[in-house]
Amino acid sequence: MRAFDQLTRRESPLSEVFEDYGFDALERELQDDAEGENLYIHFLDYLVYLVSGEYGGGARLEDLEEILRRSGSKWTVGTRAGNAGLEDRVSDGVREAAESAMALPGHAGELLAKAWHAAFGVSPNPVSAYTNAVLAVEAATVPVVIPSDRTATLGKVFTVMRDQSGWGLDIKKQHADFPADAVILGMVQMLWAGQGRHAGQPDWAPNTQAEAEAAVLLAVPLVQWFASGAIKRRV
């Protein structure tokens, strides 16, 4: 409890409540605390982190995940860079695909992991999530599309792919109106155009949580496809 007080820089130590009045009083304090939103969830997230690290609680975390799943909780136990924590629940298939993309070597996987945490972790940061989703796709696409310009943005990647044409997935049967190259270009353009980092524009606004989650989930297949070589120019 003292460590949690230090990490959260609390003016009213929770450790004193726990020492003087016990767990029930601590639980009430966490739920009624006015110093920070979702303090109860932050404390649980910290406990999950401790169990996974210092106490080697793999089995305990599996039990916790089963309880969360059975009770229909919005939270799930996730693991990034070896540390467990609470995250917003997404479908298993989506999460598995995301974890596969995040495990890729290089900056793309690292940036995607940051984006995922910022979107689905216990302290959502939509701006950070969207920004890192764009950076992750840039890290995956620039070496493939413009290897001679490692400072290129996703906007330039889109322009080059559009002008060159022929970029796509190896899918033999495609819809005449929506071939793979058009779909991929649309995904890249949507991600690039939707970010709120272009301050100074009349309609500028920071990205919302919904936009951030959509951006991260859009970045997952793009990072996987480009990093694995599934997307390439077919001329």
Side-chain angles (χ1 to χ4, degrees), residues 60 70 85 124 129-130 208-209:
R60 291 183 179 136
R70 286 202 308 266
Y130 205 113
T208 64
Q209 179 65 22

Side-chain angles (χ1 to χ4, degrees), residues 58-73:
R60 291 183 179 136
L61 294 182
E62 290 176 4
D63 291 341
L64 173 59
E65 172 58 24
E66 182 61 23
I67 291 171
L68 294 172
R69 187 185 298 275
R70 286 202 308 266
S71 61
S73 173

Side-chain angles (χ1 to χ4, degrees), residues 12-231:
S12 302
L14 291 170
S15 55
E16 295 182 0
V17 175
F18 182 58
E19 289 174 339
D20 293 342
Y21 303 105
F23 181 80
D24 290 342
L26 170 64
E27 189 172 26
R28 288 193 297 271
E29 185 77 10
L30 286 168
Q31 292 175 333
D32 299 336
D33 183 81
E35 292 187 21
E37 186 179 2
N38 293 328
L39 182 62
Y40 192 87
I41 294 297
H42 281 288
F43 178 62
L44 294 179
D45 179 59
Y46 179 65
L47 291 182
V48 170
Y49 165 76
L50 284 182
V51 169
S52 68
E54 297 182 20
Y55 300 100
R60 291 183 179 136
L61 294 182
E62 290 176 4
D63 291 341
L64 173 59
E65 172 58 24
E66 182 61 23
I67 291 171
L68 294 172
R69 187 185 298 275
R70 286 202 308 266
S71 61
S73 173
K74 66 170 290 187
W75 300 106
T76 184
V77 178
T79 303
R80 299 291 177 272
N83 296 320
L86 294 179
E87 295 179 344
D88 267 339
R89 184 175 302 280
V90 295
S91 66
D92 289 343
V94 173
R95 186 172 64 178
E96 289 170 5
E99 290 176 346
S100 177
M102 284 182 255
L104 291 169
H107 296 303
E110 297 173 3
L111 290 165
L112 187 59
K114 290 182 180 179
W116 185 274
H117 263 310
F120 298 106
V122 295
S123 300
N125 186 330
V127 173
S128 176
Y130 205 113
T131 298
N132 280 291
V134 171
L135 292 174
V137 176
E138 284 179 347
T141 58
V142 170
V144 177
V145 180
I146 323 173
S148 61
D149 185 1
R150 294 305 179 94
T151 63
T153 64
L154 192 59
K156 187 172 182 179
V157 168
F158 168 78
T159 300
V160 170
M161 291 178 66
R162 180 197 60 194
D163 293 345
Q164 288 181 341
S165 72
W167 290 90
L169 293 162
D170 191 13
I171 299 177
K172 294 180 180 180
K173 189 175 181 180
Q174 301 185 28
H175 195 288
D177 295 330
F178 301 101
D181 58 345
V183 173
I184 294 166
L185 278 174
M187 294 172 68
V188 171
Q189 184 183 41
M190 183 188 301
L191 182 61
W192 174 250
Q195 61 187 324
R197 72 182 184 183
H198 299 303
Q201 299 298 323
D203 59 347
W204 178 86
N207 289 115
T208 64
Q209 179 65 22
E211 288 175 326
E213 291 179 8
V216 174
L217 295 176
L218 184 61
V220 169
L222 288 172
V223 168
Q224 179 67 47
W225 288 337
F226 275 96
S228 67
I231 293 179

